């Protein structure tokens, strides 16, 4: 604690339960959620959950801000406020990174680069869209209406008050992914972060206010998903839900949204494939495969947790991969040398371990890892399971831990494609080869929202990101990421 910056120390002493209409306030719910440092198991913070009336107040504040000037603010002013918000994120990135590494054990080197560079860039990118949100002019239909001439045009309007419900992994970036397009479109928000990582959200909301974004545009309610999140999802004062989290909860949100037929966009789980062909540059591909699986200890939605490797290079690939996995530096998230932090909780670690044991019982061959280490914290080693097959749970289910399922393929590319597309997910994936024809054939065949060629899940603000199948509805990033926050109005003029 003593090594934190003064700003972080002060922030940790304050009440982080609610932020409504530009002010921090204390939640009035009954339940308390403990926030635990996953690196040592120690208690950091007690979060009081929001009550239903707290949520009502946040929704009312968001509606009032939306109607009193925010939705109609001119593009120059709106973009200017967003650029100032991005500048402040950059300026406060040290404290935000420390808080994020404390609340979800992201290695500090990753928190710093994500928040200082990536999050600020993402808000700047959407600030650039503000004055480019425009409709079309559409010709009339003289054949159908010979006696009348019509001019028709379309315009985009903000969808209204958005409930943004976010997961615990990379909590600052998850907020920013909602804030960028929502603010650019002129929506106001009630954000419910994951209850186990509540520390950064109010900090970010306060920066938005400091940047000049009006009070009430960004509101934060906190607490458990099944109570606070569920109530918010069903709230008739909400026009749209933007949800990021598990597929199981995504389905519950869809049901809760039916009351007033809210618009819903979903960024859900994944089980992304990483395919290495024999002609790939293995010096690039193998370290990238390790990184694609073990980044954030496998606790990220686009993690490549299925490795498909051609039989002719299998031995070489698993040898290098094992060396990389065993050399990875795991440790306290606040140590700048740490590459791998712990898993988020003991419960999560037990779930990951149970999946590994089950895979080995089913015939998987453990190459490295797979053992719960001694000592404090919820660490789990990088784990490689070879000899996996399409029928195994370890190949089909999201693990959300540093566990790579390795499957060997031969020259039957159609069989490979069938295996790749066999899961319920379709978020990300990559193919590694020097043969562009082979690469493009795989791009066409893989049923997922994005496919990398000789790269895995490059997160570029202008490139749409999201899932097919049960990995989601809609896209974030880019112009496509703006559309779910807008509604189109068609105007016809007879003349
Ligand atoms: P989760 O689904 O358990 O929780 C996500 C959020 O939903 C939390 O804020 C939680 O409190 C809330 N919630 C839980 N139950 C709810 C309910 N009944 N009604 C409303 N809200 C509810 O997910 P998690 O464990 O926090 O995050 C991990 C999951 O998120 C993984 O499946 C991961 O793949 C996914 N994820 C997806 C993306 C993406 O962009 N596709 C990004 C990050 C994480």
């Amino acid at each position: 604690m003593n090594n934190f910056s003064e700003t972080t120390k002060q922030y940790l002493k304050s009440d982080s339960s609610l932020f409504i209409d530009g002010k921090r306030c204390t939640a009035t719910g009954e339940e308390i959620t403990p926030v635990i440092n996953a690196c040592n198991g120690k208690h950091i913070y007690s979060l009081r959950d929001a009550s239903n009336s707290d949520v009502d107040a946040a929704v009312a504040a968001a509606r009032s801000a939306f109607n009193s000037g925010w939705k109609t603010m001119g593009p120059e002013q709106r973009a200017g406020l967003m650029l100032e918000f991005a500048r402040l994120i950059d300026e406060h990135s040290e404290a935000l990174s420390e808080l994020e590494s404390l609340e979800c054990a992201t290695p500090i080197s990753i928190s710093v680069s994500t928040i200082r560079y990536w999050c600020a860039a993402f808000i700047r990118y959407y600030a650039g869209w503000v004055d480019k949100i425009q409709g079309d002019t559409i010709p009339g239909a003289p054949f159908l209406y010979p006696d009348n001439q019509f001019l028709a045009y379309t315009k985009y309007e903000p969808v209204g008050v958005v409930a943004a419900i976010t997961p615990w992994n990379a909590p600052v970036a998850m907020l920013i992914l909602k804030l960028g397009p929502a603010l650019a479109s002129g929506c106001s928000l009630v954000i419910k972060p994951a209850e186990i990582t509540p520390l950064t959200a109010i900090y970010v909301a306060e920066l938005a206010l400091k940047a000049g974004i009006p009070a009430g545009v960004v509101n934060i309610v906190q607490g458990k998903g099944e109570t606070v999140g569920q109530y918010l999802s069903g709230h008739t004062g909400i026009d749209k839900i933007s949800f990021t989290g598990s597929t199981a909860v995504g389905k519950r949100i869809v049901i809760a949204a039916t009351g007033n037929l809210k618009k819903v966009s979903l960024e859900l789980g994944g089980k992304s494939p990483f395919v290495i062909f024999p002609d790939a540059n293995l010096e690039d591909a193998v370290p990238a495969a390790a990184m694609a699986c073990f980044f954030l200890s496998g606790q990220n939605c686009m993690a490549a947790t299925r490795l498909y490797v051609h039989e002719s290079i299998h031995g070489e690939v698993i040898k290098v991969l094992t060396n990389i996995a065993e050399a990875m530096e795991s440790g306290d998230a606040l140590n700048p040398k740490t590459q791998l932090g712990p898993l988020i909780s003991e419960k999560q670690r037990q779930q990951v371990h149970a999946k590994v044991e089950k895979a080995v019982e089913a015939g998987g061959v453990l190459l490295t890892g797979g053992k719960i280490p001694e000592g404090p914290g919820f660490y789990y080693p990088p784990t490689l399971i070879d000899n996996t097959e399409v029928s195994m749970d370890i190949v089909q289910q999201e693990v959300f831990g540093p566990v790579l399922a390795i499957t060997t393929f031969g020259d039957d590319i159609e069989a490979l494609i069938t295996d790749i597309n066999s899961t319920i997910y379709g978020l990300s994936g990559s193919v590694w080869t020097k043969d562009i024809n082979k690469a493009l054939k795989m791009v066409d065949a893989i049923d997922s929202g994005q496919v990398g060629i000789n790269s895995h899940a490059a997160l570029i603000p202008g490139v749409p990101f999201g899932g097919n199948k049960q990995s989601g509805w809609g896209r974030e990033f880019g112009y496509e990421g703006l559309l779910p926050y807008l509604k189109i109005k068609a105007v016809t003029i007879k003349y």
Side-chain angles (χ1 to χ4, degrees):
M1 182 76 77
N2 290 340
N3 294 334
F4 289 144
S5 63
E6 219 25 66
T7 320
T8 305
K9 283 187 202 160
Q10 288 308 320
Y11 185 82
L12 282 169
K13 289 183 196 151
S14 56
D15 182 349
S16 292
S17 58
L18 284 179
F19 188 76
I20 298 177
D21 205 16
K23 291 180 276 301
R24 276 173 188 248
C25 27
T26 301
T28 62
E30 300 287 311
E31 299 257 339
I32 303 281
T33 306
V35 179
I36 304 295
N37 182 345
C39 296
N40 53 26
K42 289 190 181 152
H43 180 272
I44 310 168
Y45 185 76
S46 293
L47 177 74
R48 180 170 289 282
D49 284 10
S51 63
N52 288 356
S53 59
D54 294 333
V55 175
D56 292 342
V59 174
R63 177 66 59 191
S64 167
F66 179 68
N67 285 334
S68 52
W70 178 243
K71 70 175 171 185
T72 49
M73 181 181 278
E76 306 82 358
Q77 195 184 352
R78 190 191 302 286
L81 298 180
M82 289 183 69
L83 290 172
E84 175 61 6
F85 180 35
R87 193 192 67 72
L88 287 170
I89 291 170
D90 190 338
E91 190 179 290
H92 288 255
S93 55
E94 184 187 8
L96 273 172
S97 311
E98 287 177 348
L99 287 168
E100 177 169 284
S101 291
L102 184 66
E103 69 179 352
C104 74
T106 304
I108 189 81
S109 60
I110 299 175
S111 305
V112 169
S113 62
T114 313
I115 294 168
R116 177 168 302 160
Y117 303 111
W118 202 90
C119 291
F122 194 81
I123 295 294
R124 283 191 195 103
Y125 169 82
Y126 274 105
W129 268 112
V130 174
D131 60 1
K132 296 162 197 75
I133 299 173
Q134 57 195 33
D136 290 317
T137 308
I138 302 161
F143 172 74
L144 292 175
Y145 306 107
D147 298 334
N148 295 309
Q149 293 206 54
F150 285 102
L151 167 68
Y153 71 93
T154 55
K155 65 194 288 265
Y156 283 102
E157 295 170 348
V159 79
V161 177
V162 173
I165 302 180
T166 56
W168 53 263
N169 63 332
V172 176
M174 291 299 142
L175 294 188
I176 294 294
L177 290 178
K178 310 296 181 202
L179 284 165
L183 296 176
S185 309
C187 294
S188 58
L189 303 103
V190 178
I191 301 172
K192 196 213 81 66
E195 58 273 33
I196 49 177
T197 53
L199 298 179
T200 41
I202 289 180
Y203 201 124
V204 172
E206 283 181 333
L207 292 183
L209 186 72
K210 199 169 172 192
I213 293 170
V217 171
V218 181
N219 305 278
I220 310 285
V221 295
Q222 311 234 48
K224 293 186 186 55
E226 57 272 26
T227 49
V228 184
Q230 185 79 27
Y231 182 69
L232 181 62
S233 307
H235 204 292
T236 52
I238 296 291
D239 300 303
K240 172 194 164 54
I241 304 180
S242 177
F243 173 74
T244 302
S246 62
T247 296
V249 173
K251 290 179 186 179
R252 263 178 245 147
I253 291 212
V254 170
I255 294 166
T258 55
N260 65 337
L261 288 182
K262 295 174 185 70
K263 311 293 173 267
V264 178
S265 44
L266 304 171
E267 291 287 336
L268 307 176
K271 188 77 197 175
S272 297
F274 191 110
V275 187
I276 311 184
F277 286 101
D279 65 342
N281 177 344
L282 295 187
E283 277 181 25
D284 287 346
V286 183
M291 187 64 185
C293 180
F294 301 139
F295 181 69
L296 297 181
S297 301
Q299 301 172 113
N300 73 87
C301 54
M302 71 267 183
T305 49
R306 290 185 285 156
L307 175 65
Y308 292 91
V309 56
H310 191 267
E311 58 196 5
S312 62
I313 50 168
H314 171 261
E316 187 182 352
V317 167
I318 60 167
K319 189 172 157 216
V320 180
L321 209 45
T322 306
N323 289 340
I324 295 173
E326 289 177 352
M328 289 193 90
E329 191 96 33
S330 74
D332 192 281
L334 290 159
N335 180 346
K337 287 196 185 136
T338 294
Q339 293 174 297
L340 283 184
L343 299 179
I344 190 68
S345 63
E346 180 58 26
K347 187 173 159 213
Q348 177 70 8
R349 176 160 79 162
Q350 291 301 333
Q351 283 172 0
V352 169
H353 189 57
K355 286 178 175 157
V356 169
E357 285 190 322
K358 196 169 172 201
V360 173
E361 275 163 30
V365 175
L366 192 63
L367 298 177
T368 186
K371 288 187 188 68
I372 294 184
E374 304 262 309
F378 313 131
Y379 293 92
Y380 201 79
T383 298
L384 301 173
I385 306 177
D386 198 10
N387 202 31
T388 62
E389 287 176 12
V390 68
S391 57
M392 294 180 181
D393 286 352
I394 201 76
V395 173
Q396 295 294 327
Q397 295 174 359
E398 187 178 47
V399 174
F400 235 54
V403 181
L404 182 59
I406 305 168
T407 304
T408 307
F409 66 90
D411 293 331
D412 184 348
I413 299 299
E414 294 311 317
L416 170 67
I417 290 167
T418 305
D419 277 9
I420 287 174
N421 288 336
S422 67
T423 74
I424 61 165
Y425 299 110
L427 188 57
S428 199
S430 59
V431 291
W432 295 72
T433 170
K434 294 192 191 105
D435 179 344
I436 190 68
N437 293 315
K438 198 186 290 170
L440 292 177
K441 181 180 160 101
M442 295 300 291
V443 166
D444 290 348
I446 294 176
D447 190 359
S448 65
Q450 46 276 318
V451 183
I453 299 175
N454 298 328
S455 72
H456 187 86
L459 294 175
I460 299 169
V463 178
F465 180 89
N468 295 353
K469 299 194 275 181
Q470 294 189 36
S471 285
W473 282 354
R475 294 290 181 265
E476 288 188 326
F477 298 58
Y479 177 61
E480 290 76 7
L482 205 53
L483 294 177
Y485 295 89
L486 295 166
K487 51 191 178 188
I488 196 161
K489 182 172 278 174
V491 184
T492 48
I493 307 164
K494 191 171 90 171
Y495 67 101

